[in-house]
Amino acid sequence: MSFVYNLSFTCGIVPDDLKISKVIPSYKKGQRRVPGNYRPISLLNTFEKILEKLMYERLYEYMAFNSPLYKYQFGFRKNHSTSLALISVMDEIYHQIDNGNIIAGIYFDLQKAFDTVDHGILLAKMRNYGVRGIVLNWFRNSNRKQYVIVDGVSSSESTVDCGVPEGSVLGPLLFLIYIDDIQYCLYNANLYLFADDTNLFVWVEH
C-alpha cells in the first residue's frame, strides 16, 4: 500500500476504487420523514482514510507555515478548542466594555454548509493559497462517487458534484480553507468561528 500511496502523490491521481463512499443518513432534527432533516455521514474505505491522513498532514503543515488560517477559526485545528474560542470571545467582550464601548453579538448557523462547497471555487482558493501543480491535480482528480444505504437497501452510485464529505479526514480542513476568506468581508468587526458556526461581534463608542 505504501507503493500505491507514494504513486498517488507522485502522479496526482487518486485510485478510483478508493473514491467510493457509503453514506449513512444520520437524524439531526425535525420530522423524521423529511430527508433534509438528516445529516449525510460518509463511511470511507480504510485505505482511503490512510491516504487522506497522509495528505492531511502535508496540507495542514503547509497551511500552518505558509498560508495560516484565520486566527479566530477554532474548529478542526490543532491546539484549538471550544474552550479557547469561549475565552477569546469573553476577552473581546470585556475589552470593549472596559473601553466604554457598546458591543453586540450576532450568531449565524450556516445550514448544510459542508454540502454546499463548490469544488471549482475550492480549487481556485487552494491555488490562491499556493497549492499548485501535482498536489492541486491530486485534489482535482479526487472527485468521489457515493451511494446511500438505508435499512439495508443500497442506492445506485452517483458522482459527488459539490460538498466535502462529513466523516472524511480531509473534509473539515478543506472546508476551513473554503471559508477562510470570510475574514476579509468586514473591517470594523471581529468574526469568531468554529467550523461553520459563525459569531459576529460589533461595537460602537458610547
Side-chain angles (χ1 to χ4, degrees), residues 16 25 36-37 51 66 68 89-90 92 97 122 131 146 165 176 200:
D16 290 339
N37 291 336
L51 180 63
N66 296 279
V89 168
M90 295 304 299
E92 178 66 43
I97 293 176
L122 173 61
V131 181
Q146 65 182 22
L176 297 188
L200 168 64

Side-chain angles (χ1 to χ4, degrees), residues 4-5 21 26 41 48 64 66 80 93 100 109-110 128 136 142 165 172 178 189 195:
V4 174
Y5 295 152
S21 60
S26 176
I41 303 299
E48 162 67 2
N66 296 279
H80 291 71
I93 293 174
D109 183 15
L110 305 179
N128 190 50
L136 187 63
S142 61
Y178 186 75

Side-chain angles (χ1 to χ4, degrees), residues 4-173:
V4 174
Y5 295 152
N6 287 326
L7 189 62
S8 174
F9 293 148
T10 302
C11 299
I13 297 174
V14 179
D16 290 339
D17 290 341
L18 298 184
K19 294 190 291 186
I20 301 175
S21 60
K22 177 171 67 174
V23 176
I24 304 295
S26 176
Y27 174 72
K28 188 175 181 182
K29 62 180 179 180
Q31 298 182 6
R32 291 184 176 273
R33 293 186 177 182
V34 178
N37 291 336
Y38 288 77
R39 182 194 305 274
I41 303 299
S42 298
L43 303 180
L44 307 180
N45 183 296
T46 301
F47 298 113
E48 162 67 2
K49 285 188 175 182
I50 296 174
L51 180 63
E52 283 200 11
K53 183 66 175 178
L54 295 172
M55 177 55 78
Y56 175 92
E57 295 295 337
R58 289 163 170 76
L59 180 60
Y60 191 93
E61 183 177 353
Y62 170 82
M63 295 297 297
F65 288 100
N66 296 279
S67 300
L69 294 171
Y70 180 44
K71 64 179 180 179
Y72 293 131
Q73 170 61 265
F74 298 94
F76 304 115
R77 299 179 65 188
K78 297 176 182 178
N79 302 318
H80 291 71
S81 65
T82 52
S83 298
L84 184 59
L86 181 59
I87 292 172
S88 298
V89 168
M90 295 304 299
D91 183 64
E92 178 66 43
I93 293 174
Y94 285 130
H95 174 71
Q96 296 302 330
I97 293 176
D98 290 342
N99 288 339
N101 298 331
I102 298 175
I103 186 168
I106 306 173
Y107 304 87
F108 302 92
D109 183 15
L110 305 179
Q111 294 292 317
K112 303 185 184 303
F114 277 60
D115 300 333
T116 57
V117 172
D118 183 288
H119 292 173
I121 296 175
L122 173 61
L123 291 170
K125 289 185 176 183
M126 293 179 69
R127 189 179 190 283
N128 190 50
Y129 281 123
V131 181
R132 301 174 184 175
I134 294 176
V135 177
L136 187 63
N137 287 336
W138 189 91
F139 284 98
R140 184 178 289 113
N141 294 324
S142 61
N143 288 336
R144 300 178 178 277
K145 291 185 177 181
Q146 65 182 22
Y147 65 95
V148 180
I149 182 168
V150 179
D151 293 333
V153 180
S154 301
S155 69
S156 58
E157 292 182 2
S158 61
T159 302
V160 180
D161 296 321
C162 67
V164 292
E166 295 191 53
S168 68
V169 178
L170 275 168
L173 178 56

